[in-house]
Amino acid sequence: MSLDSTTKTEFPIPAGVFAETVTEVKHYTDRLFKFRITRPSSFRFRSGEFVMIGLPNAEKPVFRAYSIASPSWDEEIEFYSIKVPGGPLTEHLQKIREGDTVLMRKKPTGTLVNDALLPGKRLWMFSTGTGIAPFASLIRDPETYEKFDEVILTYTCREKGELDYGKELVAALKSDPLVGEMAQKLRHYCTLTREGYPFKGRITDLMASGKVFDDLGLPPISPETDRGMICGSMAMLQDTKAALEGFGLEEGANNKPATFVVERAFVD
Ligand code: A2P
């Protein structure tokens, strides 16, 4: 148990939730951090889904939806979080340390799952900010590479330091004994909007100009070959969804697989 724990309390654990132990915390910038918790043996989820999490720091704890960033086969559960100044959950969550307790509701859900997409040649994952979390899960899942010949993870952030979590993941993937070889199919296209970088601008603008396709040496998106998954802020979702619809893709869901799916990066 850590000293000065912010989550160690006398409050009882509410019914219907798992109380799990933090195994690792890593801060990337003053706005972003990841943490890992133990995984209850009965907890099952599909890579790309989200779950509600909270802290045992009140009689009625605040819960927020978080995409699970680890793949469904992992022994632990990983999350990637923003730190919102004054945010009812993240204000406290950002102070957690190894050994602290995190609450997790028992039922995962979500639409950014391979099952919600029709088969295709190429999967595009469009992410901004903490919207990379569900893709952190999916790029570590063999099923993603079994279903698609090519996987392109686009990741747009404001500043360079915000790209580190994604870069670290992709670098580690190459030597992963389970998916390393399959992950040769993955391409990681990073762009920045508020700092100099080889690739600059919002992904929506880069699709509209065709630059992203030129940069990657790929044809423009087509409903015949391409599938999309989108995760970011509400505005980013709307604009990226409109762009994909402009290419002729249609939004799908778990009960109606189609050519793209959308999930909001919830905590803001
Ligand atoms: P920008 O710097 O031009 O706002 P945020 O942290 O605000 O969620 O933003 C993460 C990244 O998403 C930023 O690079 C931001 O670009 C970009 N972004 C914000 N809104 C949109 C949008 N409507 N469409 C595409 N990208 C967006």
Side-chain angles (χ1 to χ4, degrees):
M1 187 62 69
S2 62
L3 297 172
D4 301 328
S5 166
T6 55
T7 60
K8 189 169 176 288
T9 68
E10 304 303 316
F11 292 105
I13 304 299
V17 304
F18 296 115
E20 297 304 313
T21 305
V22 176
T23 58
E24 185 189 341
V25 183
K26 181 167 177 181
H27 293 265
Y28 289 88
T29 70
D30 54 2
R31 294 201 317 138
L32 296 164
F33 69 112
K34 86 162 176 196
F35 60 98
R36 293 173 69 88
I37 61 172
T38 49
R39 177 174 180 168
S41 55
S42 62
F43 182 69
R44 297 274 174 276
F45 68 99
R46 292 180 298 171
S47 296
E49 287 190 313
F50 67 85
V51 71
M52 307 296 291
I53 65 170
L55 290 171
N57 60 357
E59 198 78 47
K60 288 194 172 171
V62 171
F63 280 86
R64 290 284 183 267
Y66 270 76
S67 288
I68 300 170
S70 42
S72 58
W73 53 262
D74 205 338
E75 284 169 14
E76 293 181 341
I77 305 283
E78 182 172 312
F79 297 101
Y80 186 54
S81 180
I82 196 155
K83 308 172 194 177
V84 184
L89 177 59
T90 64
E91 181 180 73
H92 305 289
L93 193 63
Q94 65 180 280
K95 296 180 193 146
I96 54 167
R97 296 184 188 180
E98 221 178 292
D100 286 347
T101 299
V102 168
L103 306 178
M104 182 171 75
R105 288 226 169 103
K106 295 193 171 173
K107 204 171 158 14
T109 186
T111 54
L112 291 191
V113 291
N114 282 316
D115 296 345
L117 288 177
L118 295 170
K121 175 175 160 58
R122 191 177 298 120
L123 174 61
W124 290 83
M125 299 166 163
F126 298 99
S127 62
T128 56
T130 52
I132 195 172
F135 304 130
S137 173
L138 285 158
I139 62 169
R140 291 186 267 185
D141 193 323
E143 199 191 316
T144 305
Y145 303 104
E146 282 157 12
K147 189 158 176 179
F148 297 97
D149 297 338
E150 284 178 80
V151 179
I152 294 144
L153 170 61
T154 85
Y155 190 34
T156 304
C157 291
R158 299 177 186 189
E159 293 158 11
K160 213 174 273 173
E162 298 172 350
L163 297 176
D164 287 352
Y165 174 68
K167 290 201 161 166
E168 195 179 279
L169 276 175
V170 172
L173 201 59
K174 306 283 175 195
S175 54
D176 186 294
L178 182 66
V179 283
E181 198 154 320
M182 293 171 144
Q184 305 294 336
K185 292 180 177 183
L186 175 72
R187 298 175 73 183
H188 188 200
Y189 181 77
C190 297
T191 81
L192 289 184
T193 50
R194 302 194 190 184
E195 219 181 316
Y197 199 66
F199 301 112
K200 277 213 76 171
R202 292 182 172 194
I203 195 66
T204 40
D205 294 334
L206 295 164
M207 280 197 279
S209 67
K211 185 165 187 306
V212 55
F213 308 119
D214 292 343
D215 287 342
L216 293 168
L218 292 174
I221 288 173
S222 142
E224 308 302 316
T225 46
D226 298 74
R227 303 292 173 258
M229 289 182 166
I230 315 173
C231 192
S233 65
M234 195 52 97
M236 178 274 192
L237 296 188
Q238 282 166 357
D239 292 350
T240 312
K241 173 178 151 82
L244 295 192
E245 286 170 345
F247 289 116
L249 270 57
E250 279 176 31
E251 185 169 357
N254 274 292
N255 57 0
K256 189 180 168 291
T259 46
F260 80 91
V261 281
V262 175
E263 196 96 87
R264 192 168 166 230
F266 300 90
V267 179
D268 52 21

